[in-house]
Amino acid sequence: MQTEFLPLVAALRDRVADRFDGRLHSAYLYGSVPRGTAQVGRSDLDVLLALHTEPTAADRAEARAVEAELDAEFDVIDGAGILLFGRDMLLSELERHDLGWFVACLCTPLLGADLAEQLPRYRPTSLLARETNGDLGDALTRWRRGAAEATGEARLRSLVRGASRKLVRTAFTLVMPRYGGWTSDLTEQAEAFARYYPERAEQLRKTAVHAGNPVGDRDVLTMYTEDLGPWLAAEYLTVHGAKSPRPYES
């Protein structure tokens, strides 16, 4: 982790421990900050909290407050995001190849007992691809709604950043079993995809750039929701199938 982000992470650790106290099972970092690839003033801080029980509305409000405080106090980040899940859900059989894999393989422990110790070793299979990113069609619906409701450049930029990340990661997991491994670097993910889908290579390379340097451009979102996204969602269903439905998301 770069030294510029150490005070931020220390503040996060202290506030999470204080605010969630006995409700917290463990806390994790993921994304560019723990990987040491964060850009000062551009990257956001990504956090996952595992609670002993399912998170309540009060827990989510507390998380939003911590996000806002960190974003306001630390100029090294452009926003913070805290995911909340119950421990039992993270360890459930239904989430074994999605949230469980995410915790075991992509998260860096910050506080508490690491849940990865209770999860299996993973391989880059079609099952893993299906359960992690076989839901792009649902995301397209949310992005269209978000784009229609967005009124300012900052909101558009946030939508472009989130959609860009999802598209590049989905494109990579589409080819992941053939690639035979994993990388969290979005540029490398785009290049891996380009080996198998050269006709879409430049489009995805540009999307990877927007993931790190988002633009508040509605036309970019339209390209995502009406061209690249629908094509990728259809190809994903053909190759890997749809993600198993989650009853708690219905």
Side-chain angles (χ1 to χ4, degrees), residues 139-231:
L140 292 175
T141 301
R142 295 194 300 272
W143 298 344
R144 291 185 183 111
R145 183 171 60 248
E149 296 172 353
T151 57
E153 183 179 350
R155 177 55 181 157
L156 285 171
R157 190 167 59 247
S158 176
L159 287 169
V160 167
R161 175 162 59 188
S164 298
R165 291 176 176 180
K166 175 69 171 178
L167 285 167
V168 175
R169 289 167 181 158
T170 301
F172 173 70
T173 52
L174 173 65
V175 303
M176 178 182 63
R178 285 187 281 176
Y179 177 76
W182 176 266
T183 174
S184 293
D185 185 291
L186 294 175
T187 300
E188 292 179 6
Q189 290 185 345
E191 291 306 317
F193 169 83
R195 299 180 194 176
Y196 304 98
Y197 292 91
E199 69 279 9
R200 291 277 181 172
E202 285 308 310
Q203 201 173 31
L204 200 76
R205 288 180 181 122
K206 291 178 181 178
T207 303
V209 171
H210 289 320
N213 296 281
V215 293
D217 188 336
R218 196 176 297 275
D219 288 343
V220 171
L221 277 174
T222 299
M223 185 274 284
Y224 288 173
T225 60
E226 308 309 319
D227 179 23
L228 177 60
W231 171 83

Side-chain angles (χ1 to χ4, degrees), residues 1-2 19 23 31 39 59 63 69 92 103 108 117 126 129 132 134 146 152-153 169 188 193 208 218 221 224-225 246:
M1 189 185 303
Q2 299 115 302
R19 300 287 186 87
R23 304 193 302 284
Q39 302 177 58
D59 291 327
E69 291 170 10
S92 68
V103 170
T108 299
E117 299 297 328
S126 184
T132 54
E153 183 179 350
R169 289 167 181 158
E188 292 179 6
F193 169 83
R218 196 176 297 275
L221 277 174
Y224 288 173
T225 60
R246 269 55 175 171

Side-chain angles (χ1 to χ4, degrees), residues 39-160:
Q39 302 177 58
V40 173
R42 287 184 173 272
S43 297
D44 55 355
L45 178 67
D46 297 311
V47 183
L48 183 147
L49 303 183
L51 305 183
H52 287 291
T53 58
E54 290 304 306
T56 64
D59 291 327
R60 299 190 189 284
E62 200 73 76
R64 300 295 84 80
V66 174
E67 290 174 351
E69 291 170 10
L70 294 174
D71 187 32
E73 293 175 29
F74 292 91
D75 293 336
V76 293
I77 54 168
D78 179 20
I82 300 176
L83 301 177
L84 292 176
F85 295 101
R87 171 189 173 278
D88 289 347
M89 179 183 289
L90 293 172
L91 294 177
S92 68
E93 187 62 33
L94 185 59
E95 292 294 346
R96 181 62 50 90
H97 289 88
D98 188 12
L99 291 176
W101 165 81
F102 182 73
V103 170
C105 297
L106 300 187
C107 287
T108 299
L110 181 67
L111 282 170
D114 186 4
L115 289 174
E117 299 297 328
Q118 302 179 57
L119 291 162
R121 299 187 68 176
Y122 292 88
R123 296 290 182 267
T125 63
S126 184
L127 171 62
L128 183 60
R130 186 191 77 204
E131 292 304 302
T132 54
N133 285 299
D135 58 349
L136 182 57
D138 295 336
L140 292 175
T141 301
R142 295 194 300 272
W143 298 344
R144 291 185 183 111
R145 183 171 60 248
E149 296 172 353
T151 57
E153 183 179 350
R155 177 55 181 157
L156 285 171
R157 190 167 59 247
S158 176
L159 287 169
V160 167

